[in-house]
Structures are given as structure tokens and as C-alpha cells.
């Protein structure tokens, strides 16, 4: 018990990095993902193809590799351009997750009946108005379950930043385990992750309920 | 000059020519019904008028304003600048077979949405008209309901009110009762009849022969991408001249 009281605050110190990366990535990658999804289905071929290639690369390579590339590889490409660990990690996470979100939103947008576009068009709405007011609000309802999934994935993926020597929950936990030759800290870390997953599940459950006021 | 002038409209989907040189002029206040077998091009024709399809060649002029024209010697229609086309289309309301109401909005918001977004009107400004329209179609009590909770007939009436909220001069109906249970068609047809009584210019694509006969000033029979016959409802229905019209009407009457 004494040991727990001693290590819980130590593990909790890693919360700051874990949650910072999580929150910043969500806030930036969701809107970016929506824009990319719209680009991915654009009538402008160059935009559509660029997005296709981008999403292919980001989904086709490990996030870990992308983090390493931005941190260690970028200085070689842009001469002498180095980023501190935190922004490097954020960039990798945002651009990686935006690609996944883009695919989720693309599927959502394409699942909306063509009649919705036509209904909006004959009422005089422009494409942007139609997207913003008619299509995307309906897409949000449909993509909530996969977005929820991806968000929980992100929470756990934040642990990849250990590779840049950033002290998130998992890296601190590992150092405690190695120091004390005691695996209790792993359980503590697991409880932290489960706690936040629980909150996320509740938040998405609430959103799904709110969007359940209408059927399609 | 007629209110709506569509001349020599040609439209193909790939290799399939759906409209083969179709011309139709409609006067202000006139109600025109288009009947014909499915695949005859009647829906496509209507969709060309409100820009849901672009024509290959021909011309469309509404109230003297040219939306599309085909220069002499050319095979391709040229459209007016997008803003002009939009302005012309704004004078038309369109109701669809499947209503296309916005499922994520209440009945009232479905009505308010386009005036708010397109005309930049404030909710208070539109409210009196929205109330009047919903009362007119008998659904004011349902204003806070979502469309999925309504019957098909009620949904179509909301869709009509939604179109009318944009103050159109022309109403287009694309098989407005085809997706409805038979006992629900009456309420929708009565609403359309009411518009006809108010001298709304309308083009109605329909399978309801009795209704077409009742409401229309003129009936158009289309088949194979051309207008086969047209005239006063009594003439077309009782004394069809064209062989295709005769066999079509016979097959409709058999049931």
C-alpha cells in the first residue's frame, strides 16, 4: 500500500504529456480530417489525387516511423531544421490521425443520400452551404462510432512518444519498474489508461444519445 | 413569349440518349402534367429545367432570361454565368419522389433553413410565413417533429411547404406520390390542387392519371425521349391520337 502511494503520483506526473498530446491531436486532426475528406472527394483532380496519395502514405507507414522521421529525418531534408521533441510529436500525430479521420469522414460523406444534395440545391444552397448545413451534421452522427474507436486508439498511441524520450505515463512507468524490479507500476498505468478510456466511452455515448433524437 | 421556354432539349447519359429534341413552352399560371412510361425521359426533362441535370444541347429560357442556349451550328449548349443560372433556378421550387427532407432538422427548421441560409433572413422574419405555410399544409402542430416520425404523405406536404418558403414562381413535381401508400396520395394531391387554384405555374410528372386529368391545363405524353402527344386532358385521355398514347393509357386503365 505504501508502495502504491509512492508510485501513483510519480506515474501521474506522466499524465501531462499524455493528455497534452491527446487533446492537441484531437482538436487539430478532426477539423483537418474533415477538410481532407472533402478534398479527397473533390471534383478537382489534383486535389483529390494529392489527398489520396497523402492518406495512402500516412496510413501505410507506422506512426512510430513518422515520429522518428519528423524528429531525426527533417533536419537532413531541410538543412539544419530541428524541432524540439514535443512539436515534432504533435506534428506526426496530427498529420497521421487526420489521415485516418479523413477516411472515416469520406465514408460518412459518401453514405449520405444524393437526394440530400439535390434537395439543398433546388433550394438555392451553394456547395459549401450544403456541406456545412446539410451533409456534415448528418455525417457526424454516422461517424461517431468509428471516431470513438479511433480516439481511444489515439489515447494509447500517445505512448509512442517514449521514443523521443518524452516522459508520458508509460515511459515513467517503465523506468519505475526497471528501478524497483516490481511490476506493480504497470497495473497503475493500466488503470490510468482505463480510466480515460472510460471517460471517452461516456462522452461518445452521450453524443450518440444526443444525435439519436432523429432517425434517418 | 412564354414564361418557360425549353427548346430542342437533348440529353444523353453516356451512349443512351434520354431526351431527343424535346420542346415545351409553359405559360405563367399554367399547370402541365407530364405522363408516360418509366424510362421515357420525363423526370430527366424536369431535372434539366432546375439544373439537376445539364443539357447537351437546346435552350432554356425562363421569364425572358436565358439559362442555356446552343449557338447556331454548335452541338453543345452554353450556360449563362453560374450566378445568373442560380438566380433563375431560385424562382423554381422542386418536390421529389422521395421528399429529400433534411432528417436532422425538425419540420419547422426544414422550412426555415433555406430562407435563413440562402436569403440570409432572420428566423423572426420568416416565422409568420413558415407558420402560414405549415398551417396551409395542415402540419403546424407537427413543427417540432423530425421528418422520420411523419407519414410519407405528411413528409411530402412538408417538402412542398419547404419549397414554397422560398417564394418560387414555378413549382416542379417529380412523381410526388409514387413513393406513397395509396391512401396517402390524396392529401398530397389536394395540396397540389390548392396551388393550382392559386394560379401557381406548375409542371407535374406523375403516374396519377385521374389527378393529371383533374388538375392539369395541358397533358404531355412522353415516351422514348420525345413528346408523343399533348393537348387538353379530355382530348389526350379520351381521344388519344398517337398509338403509343393509346396503348399506354390502355395498360394504365387495365388495373
Amino acid at each position: 500500500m505504501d508502495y502504491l502511494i509512492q508510485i501513483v503520483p510519480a506515474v501521474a506526473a506522466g499524465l501531462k504529456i499524455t493528455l497534452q498530446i491527446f487533446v492537441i491531436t484531437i482538436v487539430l486532426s478532426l477539423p483537418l480530417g474533415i477538410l481532407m475528406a472533402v478534398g479527397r472527394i473533390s471534383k478537382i483532380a489534383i486535389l483529390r489525387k494529392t489527398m489520396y496519395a497523402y492518406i495512402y502514405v500516412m496510413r501505410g507507414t507506422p506512426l512510430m516511423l513518422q515520429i522518428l522521421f519528423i524528429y531525426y529525418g527533417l533536419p537532413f531534408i531541410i538543412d539544419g531544421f530541428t524541432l524540439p521533441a514535443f512539436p515534432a510529436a504533435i506534428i506526426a500525430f496530427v498529420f497521421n490521425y487526420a489521415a485516418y479521420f479523413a477516411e472515416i469522414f469520406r465514408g460518412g460523406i459518401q453514405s449520405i443520400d444524393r437526394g440530400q444534395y439535390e434537395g439543398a440545391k433546388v433550394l438555392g444552397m451553394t456547395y459549401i452551404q450544403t456541406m456545412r448545413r446539410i451533409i456534415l451534421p448528418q455525417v457526424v452522427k454516422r461517424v461517431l462510432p468509428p471516431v470513438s474507436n479511433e480516439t481511444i486508439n489515439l489515447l494509447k498511441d500517445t505512448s509512442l512518444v517514449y521514443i523521443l524520450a518524452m516522459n508520458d505515463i508509460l515511459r515513467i512507468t517503465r523506468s519505475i519498474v526497471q528501478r524497483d524490479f516490481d511490476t506493480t507500476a504497470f497495473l497503475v498505468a493500466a488503470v490510468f489508461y482505463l480510466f480515460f478510456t472510460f471517460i471517452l466511452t461516456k462522452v461518445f455515448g452521450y453524443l450518440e444519445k444526443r444525435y439519436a433524437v432523429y432517425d434517418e | 413569349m412564354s414564361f418557360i421556354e425549353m427548346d430542342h432539349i437533348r440529353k444523353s447519359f453516356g451512349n443512351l440518349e434520354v431526351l431527343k429534341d424535346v420542346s415545351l413552352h409553359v405559360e405563367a399560371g399554367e399547370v402541365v402534367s407530364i405522363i408516360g412510361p418509366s424510362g421515357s425521359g420525363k423526370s430527366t426533362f424536369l431535372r434539366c429545367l432546375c439544373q439537376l441535370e445539364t443539357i447537351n444541347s437546346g435552350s432554356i429560357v425562363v421569364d425572358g432570361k436565358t439559362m442555356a442556349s446552343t449557338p447556331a451550328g454548335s452541338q453543345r449548349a452554353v450556360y449563362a454565368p453560374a450566378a445568373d443560372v442560380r438566380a433563375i433556378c431560385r424562382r423554381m421550387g422542386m418536390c421529389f419522389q422521395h421528399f429529400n427532407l433534411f432528417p436532422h432538422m425538425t419540420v419547422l427548421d426544414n422550412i426555415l433553413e433555406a430562407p435563413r441560409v440562402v436569403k440570409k433572413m432572420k428566423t423572426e422574419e420568416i416565422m409568420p410565413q413558415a407558420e402560414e405555410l405549415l398551417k396551409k399544409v395542415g402540419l403546424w402542430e407537427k413543427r417540432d417533429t423530425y421528418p422520420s416520425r411523419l407519414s410519407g404523405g405528411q413528409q411530402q406536404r412538408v417538402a412542398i411547404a419547404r419549397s414554397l418558403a422560398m417564394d418560387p414562381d414555378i413549382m416542379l413535381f417529380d412523381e410526388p406520390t409514387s413513393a406513397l401508400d395509396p391512401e396517402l396520395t390524396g392529401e398530397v394531391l389536394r395540396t397540389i390542387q390548392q396551388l393550382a387554384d392559386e394560379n401557381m405555374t406548375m409542371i407535374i410528372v406523375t403516374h396519377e392519371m385521374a389527378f393529371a386529368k383533374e388538375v392539369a391545363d395541358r397533358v404531355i405524353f412522353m415516351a422514348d425521349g420525345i413528346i408523343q402527344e399533348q393537348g387538353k386532358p379530355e382530348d389526350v385521355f379520351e381521344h388519344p391520337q398517337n398509338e403509343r398514347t393509346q396503348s399506354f393509357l390502355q395498360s394504365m386503365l387495365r388495373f
Side-chain angles (χ1 to χ4, degrees), chain B residues 51-71:
Chain B
Q51 266 297 287
L52 288 175
E53 308 288 354
T54 50
I55 58 173
N56 295 125
S57 67
S59 71
I60 304 175
V61 179
V62 177
D63 198 15
K65 297 190 178 60
T66 303
M67 180 150 86
S69 59
T70 304

Side-chain angles (χ1 to χ4, degrees), chain A residues 115-116 118 121 133 138, chain B residues 47 51 100-101 103-104 113:
Chain A
Q116 292 290 304
E118 296 187 346
K121 184 172 181 184
R133 302 283 313 174
Q138 295 183 60
Chain B
R47 292 166 59 84
Q51 266 297 287
N100 298 348
L101 291 175
H104 60 304
E113 183 65 8

Side-chain angles (χ1 to χ4, degrees), chain A residues 113-127 129 133-135 137-138 212-216, chain B residues 47 50-52 86 92 94 96 100-105 113-114 116-118 120 146 148-149 162-163 166:
Chain A
D113 182 56
R114 211 172 56 125
Q116 292 290 304
Y117 293 91
E118 296 187 346
K121 184 172 181 184
V122 296
L123 287 169
M125 292 191 209
T126 62
Y127 180 72
Q129 288 168 340
R133 302 283 313 174
I134 308 301
I135 307 302
Q138 295 183 60
V213 294
Y214 73 88
D215 304 313
E216 301 178 59
Chain B
R47 292 166 59 84
C50 64
Q51 266 297 287
L52 288 175
R86 193 178 290 279
M92 299 178 228
M94 168 96 166
F96 301 87
N100 298 348
L101 291 175
F102 306 132
H104 60 304
M105 295 179 185
E113 183 65 8
R116 273 195 300 227
V117 172
V118 180
K120 314 282 180 215
Y146 286 90
S148 60
R149 297 287 158 92
R162 180 177 74 170
S163 296
M166 291 299 282

Side-chain angles (χ1 to χ4, degrees), chain A residues 176-188:
Chain A
I176 294 172
V177 170
Q178 282 162 359
R179 184 191 67 198
D180 300 343
F181 289 106
D182 185 328
T183 52
T184 316
F186 281 145
L187 291 177
V188 174

Side-chain angles (χ1 to χ4, degrees), chain B residues 90-94 163-171 200:
Chain B
R90 241 200 236 185
R91 305 188 57 181
M92 299 178 228
M94 168 96 166
S163 296
L164 294 174
M166 291 299 282
D167 292 317
D169 302 314
I170 303 157
M171 281 292 284
M200 175 69 82

Side-chain angles (χ1 to χ4, degrees), chain A:
Chain A
M1 192 64 204
D2 281 349
Y3 181 65
L4 266 183
I5 289 167
Q6 183 203 330
I7 63 170
V8 166
V11 174
L15 272 180
K16 195 176 158 217
I17 288 291
T18 298
L19 290 183
Q20 272 178 342
I21 294 203
F22 176 79
V23 171
I24 295 174
T25 302
I26 284 289
V27 168
L28 296 179
S29 64
L30 272 175
L32 195 59
I34 293 173
L35 288 179
M36 286 175 178
V38 174
R40 172 79 175 76
I41 56 170
S42 166
K43 283 190 188 128
I44 306 162
I46 179 84
L47 189 58
R48 193 173 62 236
K49 284 175 181 164
T50 308
M51 278 303 121
Y52 179 85
Y54 171 83
I55 292 167
Y56 175 67
V57 170
M58 293 313 266
R59 294 202 309 172
T61 57
L63 174 55
M64 173 91 85
L65 177 71
Q66 294 162 15
I67 295 172
L68 291 172
F69 177 80
I70 286 173
Y71 189 70
Y72 294 109
L74 226 46
F76 290 101
I77 293 174
I78 310 167
D79 202 23
F81 181 81
T82 53
L83 279 171
F86 188 77
I90 289 290
I91 289 172
F93 271 92
V94 167
F95 282 92
N96 178 279
Y97 268 83
Y100 280 94
F101 285 134
E103 277 303 276
I104 291 175
F105 277 101
R106 176 181 69 88
I109 292 170
Q110 289 179 332
S111 77
I112 302 288
D113 182 56
R114 211 172 56 125
Q116 292 290 304
Y117 293 91
E118 296 187 346
K121 184 172 181 184
V122 296
L123 287 169
M125 292 191 209
T126 62
Y127 180 72
I128 292 172
Q129 288 168 340
T130 305
M131 271 294 167
R132 213 169 59 81
R133 302 283 313 174
I134 308 301
I135 307 302
L136 290 177
Q138 295 183 60
V139 168
V140 170
K141 177 182 166 118
R142 293 193 188 183
V143 301
L144 273 176
V147 165
S148 163
N149 236 338
E150 214 48 60
T151 306
I152 290 170
N153 267 341
L154 169 63
L155 179 67
K156 295 172 294 180
D157 272 356
T158 53
S159 61
L160 290 174
V161 297
Y162 83 88
I163 200 78
L164 301 186
M166 291 167 72
N167 283 317
D168 75 315
I169 292 180
L170 198 60
R171 186 162 187 270
I172 291 179
T173 305
R174 270 198 341 166
S175 59
I176 294 172
V177 170
Q178 282 162 359
R179 184 191 67 198
D180 300 343
F181 289 106
D182 185 328
T183 52
T184 316
F186 281 145
L187 291 177
V188 174
V191 170
F192 272 111
Y193 283 112
L194 284 172
F195 172 71
F196 286 108
T197 303
F198 176 77
I199 290 179
L200 286 176
T201 309
K202 283 286 166 205
V203 168
F204 278 98
Y206 167 76
L207 288 175
E208 280 181 37
K209 206 179 279 175
R210 242 193 60 178
Y211 273 97
V213 294
Y214 73 88
D215 304 313
E216 301 178 59

